[in-house]
Amino acid sequence: MGQVQATTDREVTLQNIQELYRKFTDECPSGNLHLHEFKKIFGVSSKSPEEEVAFIELVFKSFDTNKDGKLDFMEYVAAVNLVLRGKLIDKLKWSFKIYDNDGNGCLTNQEVRRIVKAGKHGSKDSDSNVETVDYICDRIFELTDKNKDSQISLEEFIEGAEKDPWLMEQLRLDLAPKSWRRSVAKFTEQPEKWN
């Protein structure tokens, strides 16, 4: 009986993916989602703050696994799956990858500050915004850098996030699931099936 249910769930998922692929190729005849289209999905334009533009470009690059400057269908599905259905540990590993600008496996204060600042782009008061960014970065390091080497390893990042709700909120890059649902809706017209 359990096998029948599992098979049905898999068939529904396969059907959703097939429909997503059909719509994806209708909207992206080249078979690729380009950066400018990705930005449009998230409402980022040339008038957006510089930090917001830089952040969405980092996100795009993180999903462009073959580094060809565009998302093919498989990369797009992997991104949607991670954001909408991914496990917490996978989302934290992905968040770490976004923070780790140089890819060396450790986060510096500068790398953390860059992402925190991008997340605070909406503040009107730039002086208090800088104080807030400083406070957040200092607290992140205080709570995660267990060996006090002024770097945060992936293990420290995950352990800290799992232990402290405030830290989890700061470190997890929750990419507005509503935006992703709109993105999926653009291609499927049935976003509720991806919940």
Short mmCIF file of all heavy atoms in Angstrom, two decimals, residues 60-98:
data_model
loop_
_atom_site.label_atom_id
_atom_site.label_comp_id
_atom_site.label_asym_id
_atom_site.label_seq_id
_atom_site.Cartn_x
_atom_site.Cartn_y
_atom_site.Cartn_z
N PHE A 60 22.12 34.15 -8.79
CA PHE A 60 22.09 33.57 -10.14
C PHE A 60 23.33 32.72 -10.38
O PHE A 60 23.25 31.58 -10.84
CB PHE A 60 21.97 34.69 -11.18
CG PHE A 60 21.92 34.20 -12.60
CD1 PHE A 60 20.72 33.82 -13.16
CD2 PHE A 60 23.07 34.13 -13.37
CE1 PHE A 60 20.65 33.37 -14.48
CE2 PHE A 60 23.02 33.68 -14.68
CZ PHE A 60 21.81 33.30 -15.23
N LYS A 61 24.49 33.28 -10.06
CA LYS A 61 25.76 32.56 -10.28
C LYS A 61 25.82 31.28 -9.46
O LYS A 61 26.39 30.28 -9.91
CB LYS A 61 26.95 33.45 -9.96
CG LYS A 61 27.18 34.54 -10.99
CD LYS A 61 28.31 35.46 -10.60
CE LYS A 61 28.44 36.58 -11.60
NZ LYS A 61 29.45 37.57 -11.21
N SER A 62 25.22 31.29 -8.27
CA SER A 62 25.25 30.08 -7.44
C SER A 62 24.43 28.95 -8.06
O SER A 62 24.74 27.78 -7.85
CB SER A 62 24.73 30.38 -6.03
OG SER A 62 23.33 30.48 -5.99
N PHE A 63 23.41 29.29 -8.82
CA PHE A 63 22.59 28.27 -9.47
C PHE A 63 23.13 27.88 -10.84
O PHE A 63 22.78 26.84 -11.38
CB PHE A 63 21.14 28.74 -9.61
CG PHE A 63 20.43 28.86 -8.29
CD1 PHE A 63 19.69 29.98 -7.99
CD2 PHE A 63 20.48 27.84 -7.35
CE1 PHE A 63 19.02 30.09 -6.78
CE2 PHE A 63 19.82 27.94 -6.14
CZ PHE A 63 19.08 29.07 -5.85
N ASP A 64 23.99 28.71 -11.40
CA ASP A 64 24.60 28.43 -12.70
C ASP A 64 25.78 27.48 -12.48
O ASP A 64 26.94 27.88 -12.52
CB ASP A 64 25.05 29.75 -13.35
CG ASP A 64 25.68 29.55 -14.70
OD1 ASP A 64 25.53 28.45 -15.30
OD2 ASP A 64 26.35 30.48 -15.18
N THR A 65 25.47 26.22 -12.25
CA THR A 65 26.49 25.27 -11.83
C THR A 65 27.56 24.99 -12.88
O THR A 65 28.69 24.68 -12.54
CB THR A 65 25.85 23.94 -11.38
OG1 THR A 65 25.05 23.42 -12.45
CG2 THR A 65 24.99 24.13 -10.15
N ASN A 66 27.21 25.12 -14.15
CA ASN A 66 28.23 24.88 -15.18
C ASN A 66 28.92 26.18 -15.61
O ASN A 66 29.74 26.18 -16.52
CB ASN A 66 27.64 24.16 -16.40
CG ASN A 66 26.57 24.96 -17.11
OD1 ASN A 66 26.28 26.11 -16.77
ND2 ASN A 66 25.96 24.35 -18.11
N LYS A 67 28.58 27.28 -14.95
CA LYS A 67 29.24 28.59 -15.14
C LYS A 67 29.24 29.07 -16.58
O LYS A 67 30.20 29.67 -17.05
CB LYS A 67 30.69 28.53 -14.62
CG LYS A 67 30.83 28.02 -13.20
CD LYS A 67 30.13 28.91 -12.22
CE LYS A 67 30.27 28.38 -10.80
NZ LYS A 67 29.13 28.65 -9.97
N ASP A 68 28.11 28.86 -17.29
CA ASP A 68 28.02 29.33 -18.67
C ASP A 68 27.24 30.64 -18.81
O ASP A 68 26.96 31.09 -19.91
CB ASP A 68 27.41 28.25 -19.57
CG ASP A 68 25.97 27.92 -19.22
OD1 ASP A 68 25.45 28.45 -18.23
OD2 ASP A 68 25.37 27.10 -19.95
N GLY A 69 26.85 31.26 -17.68
CA GLY A 69 26.19 32.55 -17.71
C GLY A 69 24.69 32.49 -17.94
O GLY A 69 24.05 33.51 -18.19
N LYS A 70 24.11 31.30 -17.86
CA LYS A 70 22.66 31.14 -18.04
C LYS A 70 22.21 29.89 -17.29
O LYS A 70 23.02 29.02 -16.98
CB LYS A 70 22.30 31.05 -19.51
CG LYS A 70 23.07 30.00 -20.26
CD LYS A 70 22.99 30.19 -21.76
CE LYS A 70 23.92 29.20 -22.43
NZ LYS A 70 24.66 29.73 -23.52
N LEU A 71 20.93 29.85 -16.96
CA LEU A 71 20.38 28.67 -16.29
C LEU A 71 19.64 27.83 -17.31
O LEU A 71 18.70 28.30 -17.95
CB LEU A 71 19.41 29.08 -15.18
CG LEU A 71 19.95 29.94 -14.05
CD1 LEU A 71 18.88 30.18 -12.99
CD2 LEU A 71 21.19 29.33 -13.43
N ASP A 72 20.09 26.59 -17.46
CA ASP A 72 19.32 25.68 -18.29
C ASP A 72 18.19 25.11 -17.45
O ASP A 72 18.05 25.42 -16.26
CB ASP A 72 20.22 24.59 -18.90
CG ASP A 72 20.89 23.70 -17.87
OD1 ASP A 72 20.34 23.49 -16.77
OD2 ASP A 72 21.99 23.20 -18.17
N PHE A 73 17.37 24.28 -18.04
CA PHE A 73 16.19 23.77 -17.34
C PHE A 73 16.56 23.01 -16.07
O PHE A 73 15.94 23.19 -15.03
CB PHE A 73 15.36 22.89 -18.28
CG PHE A 73 14.14 22.32 -17.59
CD1 PHE A 73 13.08 23.14 -17.26
CD2 PHE A 73 14.07 20.97 -17.29
CE1 PHE A 73 11.96 22.62 -16.61
CE2 PHE A 73 12.96 20.44 -16.65
CZ PHE A 73 11.90 21.28 -16.31
N MET A 74 17.57 22.17 -16.13
CA MET A 74 17.95 21.38 -14.96
C MET A 74 18.45 22.28 -13.83
O MET A 74 18.13 22.05 -12.66
CB MET A 74 19.01 20.33 -15.32
CG MET A 74 18.48 19.25 -16.26
SD MET A 74 17.03 18.39 -15.62
CE MET A 74 17.72 17.54 -14.22
N GLU A 75 19.21 23.30 -14.16
CA GLU A 75 19.68 24.23 -13.13
C GLU A 75 18.50 24.98 -12.53
O GLU A 75 18.44 25.20 -11.31
CB GLU A 75 20.69 25.22 -13.74
CG GLU A 75 22.02 24.58 -14.10
CD GLU A 75 22.90 25.47 -14.95
OE1 GLU A 75 22.37 26.23 -15.81
OE2 GLU A 75 24.13 25.40 -14.78
N TYR A 76 17.55 25.36 -13.37
CA TYR A 76 16.36 26.07 -12.89
C TYR A 76 15.54 25.18 -11.95
O TYR A 76 15.13 25.61 -10.87
CB TYR A 76 15.51 26.53 -14.08
CG TYR A 76 14.25 27.23 -13.64
CD1 TYR A 76 14.30 28.54 -13.18
CD2 TYR A 76 13.02 26.59 -13.69
CE1 TYR A 76 13.14 29.18 -12.76
CE2 TYR A 76 11.86 27.22 -13.28
CZ TYR A 76 11.93 28.52 -12.81
OH TYR A 76 10.79 29.15 -12.38
N VAL A 77 15.31 23.94 -12.33
CA VAL A 77 14.53 23.02 -11.49
C VAL A 77 15.25 22.78 -10.17
O VAL A 77 14.63 22.76 -9.10
CB VAL A 77 14.25 21.69 -12.22
CG1 VAL A 77 13.70 20.64 -11.27
CG2 VAL A 77 13.27 21.92 -13.36
N ALA A 78 16.57 22.62 -10.21
CA ALA A 78 17.33 22.42 -8.97
C ALA A 78 17.19 23.64 -8.06
O ALA A 78 17.02 23.51 -6.84
CB ALA A 78 18.80 22.16 -9.29
N ALA A 79 17.23 24.84 -8.64
CA ALA A 79 17.07 26.07 -7.86
C ALA A 79 15.69 26.15 -7.24
O ALA A 79 15.54 26.43 -6.04
CB ALA A 79 17.33 27.29 -8.75
N VAL A 80 14.66 25.91 -8.04
CA VAL A 80 13.29 25.96 -7.53
C VAL A 80 13.10 24.92 -6.43
O VAL A 80 12.52 25.21 -5.38
CB VAL A 80 12.27 25.73 -8.69
CG1 VAL A 80 10.87 25.50 -8.14
CG2 VAL A 80 12.28 26.91 -9.64
N ASN A 81 13.61 23.73 -6.65
CA ASN A 81 13.48 22.67 -5.66
C ASN A 81 14.18 23.04 -4.35
O ASN A 81 13.63 22.84 -3.27
CB ASN A 81 14.03 21.35 -6.20
CG ASN A 81 13.75 20.21 -5.27
OD1 ASN A 81 12.60 19.94 -4.92
ND2 ASN A 81 14.79 19.53 -4.84
N LEU A 82 15.37 23.59 -4.44
CA LEU A 82 16.10 23.98 -3.24
C LEU A 82 15.33 25.05 -2.47
O LEU A 82 15.12 24.93 -1.26
CB LEU A 82 17.49 24.51 -3.59
CG LEU A 82 18.28 25.08 -2.40
CD1 LEU A 82 18.67 23.97 -1.44
CD2 LEU A 82 19.50 25.83 -2.87
N VAL A 83 14.89 26.07 -3.15
CA VAL A 83 14.23 27.19 -2.48
C VAL A 83 12.86 26.79 -1.92
O VAL A 83 12.51 27.13 -0.79
CB VAL A 83 14.12 28.41 -3.42
CG1 VAL A 83 13.28 29.51 -2.81
CG2 VAL A 83 15.51 28.92 -3.75
N LEU A 84 12.08 26.06 -2.70
CA LEU A 84 10.72 25.75 -2.27
C LEU A 84 10.59 24.46 -1.46
O LEU A 84 9.69 24.35 -0.64
CB LEU A 84 9.79 25.66 -3.49
CG LEU A 84 9.60 26.94 -4.27
CD1 LEU A 84 8.62 26.72 -5.42
CD2 LEU A 84 9.11 28.07 -3.37
N ARG A 85 11.48 23.50 -1.70
CA ARG A 85 11.30 22.20 -1.06
C ARG A 85 12.55 21.66 -0.40
O ARG A 85 12.53 20.57 0.16
CB ARG A 85 10.82 21.19 -2.10
CG ARG A 85 9.54 21.64 -2.80
CD ARG A 85 9.20 20.73 -3.92
NE ARG A 85 8.44 19.60 -3.38
CZ ARG A 85 8.02 18.59 -4.11
NH1 ARG A 85 8.30 18.53 -5.38
NH2 ARG A 85 7.34 17.61 -3.56
N GLY A 86 13.65 22.39 -0.46
CA GLY A 86 14.92 21.89 0.05
C GLY A 86 14.94 21.70 1.55
O GLY A 86 14.24 22.38 2.29
N LYS A 87 15.80 20.79 2.00
CA LYS A 87 16.00 20.56 3.42
C LYS A 87 16.81 21.72 3.99
O LYS A 87 17.61 22.35 3.29
CB LYS A 87 16.77 19.25 3.64
CG LYS A 87 16.00 18.03 3.21
CD LYS A 87 16.83 16.79 3.39
CE LYS A 87 16.07 15.58 2.89
NZ LYS A 87 16.89 14.36 2.98
N LEU A 88 16.64 21.97 5.27
CA LEU A 88 17.32 23.07 5.94
C LEU A 88 18.83 22.97 5.75
O LEU A 88 19.49 23.96 5.43
CB LEU A 88 16.97 23.09 7.43
CG LEU A 88 17.70 24.15 8.25
CD1 LEU A 88 17.36 25.55 7.75
CD2 LEU A 88 17.36 24.00 9.72
N ILE A 89 19.41 21.81 5.92
CA ILE A 89 20.86 21.65 5.79
C ILE A 89 21.33 22.04 4.39
O ILE A 89 22.37 22.69 4.23
CB ILE A 89 21.33 20.22 6.18
CG1 ILE A 89 22.84 20.17 6.31
CG2 ILE A 89 20.84 19.19 5.19
CD1 ILE A 89 23.35 20.70 7.60
N ASP A 90 20.56 21.69 3.37
CA ASP A 90 20.93 22.05 2.00
C ASP A 90 20.82 23.55 1.78
O ASP A 90 21.65 24.15 1.10
CB ASP A 90 20.06 21.29 1.00
CG ASP A 90 20.30 19.78 1.05
OD1 ASP A 90 21.45 19.38 1.32
OD2 ASP A 90 19.34 19.02 0.84
N LYS A 91 19.79 24.16 2.36
CA LYS A 91 19.65 25.62 2.24
C LYS A 91 20.78 26.34 2.96
O LYS A 91 21.29 27.35 2.47
CB LYS A 91 18.30 26.07 2.80
CG LYS A 91 17.13 25.67 1.93
CD LYS A 91 15.83 26.16 2.52
CE LYS A 91 14.66 25.80 1.62
NZ LYS A 91 13.39 26.34 2.12
N LEU A 92 21.21 25.82 4.11
CA LEU A 92 22.33 26.43 4.82
C LEU A 92 23.63 26.28 4.05
O LEU A 92 24.43 27.23 3.97
CB LEU A 92 22.47 25.84 6.23
CG LEU A 92 21.40 26.28 7.22
CD1 LEU A 92 21.50 25.47 8.51
CD2 LEU A 92 21.50 27.77 7.51
N LYS A 93 23.86 25.12 3.45
CA LYS A 93 25.06 24.93 2.62
C LYS A 93 25.06 25.88 1.43
O LYS A 93 26.09 26.45 1.06
CB LYS A 93 25.16 23.49 2.14
CG LYS A 93 25.56 22.51 3.23
CD LYS A 93 25.58 21.09 2.71
CE LYS A 93 25.97 20.11 3.80
NZ LYS A 93 25.95 18.71 3.32
N TRP A 94 23.89 26.06 0.83
CA TRP A 94 23.78 26.99 -0.29
C TRP A 94 24.02 28.43 0.17
O TRP A 94 24.73 29.19 -0.48
CB TRP A 94 22.39 26.85 -0.94
CG TRP A 94 22.12 27.90 -1.96
CD1 TRP A 94 22.65 27.98 -3.21
CD2 TRP A 94 21.27 29.03 -1.81
NE1 TRP A 94 22.18 29.10 -3.85
CE2 TRP A 94 21.32 29.75 -3.01
CE3 TRP A 94 20.46 29.48 -0.78
CZ2 TRP A 94 20.60 30.92 -3.21
CZ3 TRP A 94 19.73 30.64 -0.97
CH2 TRP A 94 19.81 31.34 -2.18
N SER A 95 23.44 28.79 1.33
CA SER A 95 23.66 30.13 1.88
C SER A 95 25.15 30.37 2.12
O SER A 95 25.69 31.43 1.79
CB SER A 95 22.90 30.32 3.20
OG SER A 95 21.51 30.29 3.00
N PHE A 96 25.83 29.37 2.67
CA PHE A 96 27.27 29.49 2.92
C PHE A 96 28.02 29.75 1.60
O PHE A 96 28.91 30.59 1.54
CB PHE A 96 27.80 28.21 3.59
CG PHE A 96 29.25 28.29 3.98
CD1 PHE A 96 29.62 28.82 5.20
CD2 PHE A 96 30.25 27.84 3.12
CE1 PHE A 96 30.96 28.89 5.57
CE2 PHE A 96 31.58 27.91 3.47
CZ PHE A 96 31.94 28.43 4.70
N LYS A 97 27.62 29.04 0.57
CA LYS A 97 28.24 29.21 -0.75
C LYS A 97 28.07 30.65 -1.25
O LYS A 97 29.00 31.21 -1.84
CB LYS A 97 27.60 28.22 -1.72
CG LYS A 97 28.16 28.24 -3.11
CD LYS A 97 27.45 27.18 -3.97
CE LYS A 97 27.83 27.29 -5.42
NZ LYS A 97 27.12 26.30 -6.23
N ILE A 98 26.91 31.24 -1.00
CA ILE A 98 26.68 32.63 -1.42
C ILE A 98 27.58 33.57 -0.62
O ILE A 98 28.20 34.49 -1.17
CB ILE A 98 25.20 33.04 -1.21
CG1 ILE A 98 24.27 32.20 -2.07
CG2 ILE A 98 24.99 34.53 -1.48
CD1 ILE A 98 24.33 32.48 -3.53
#
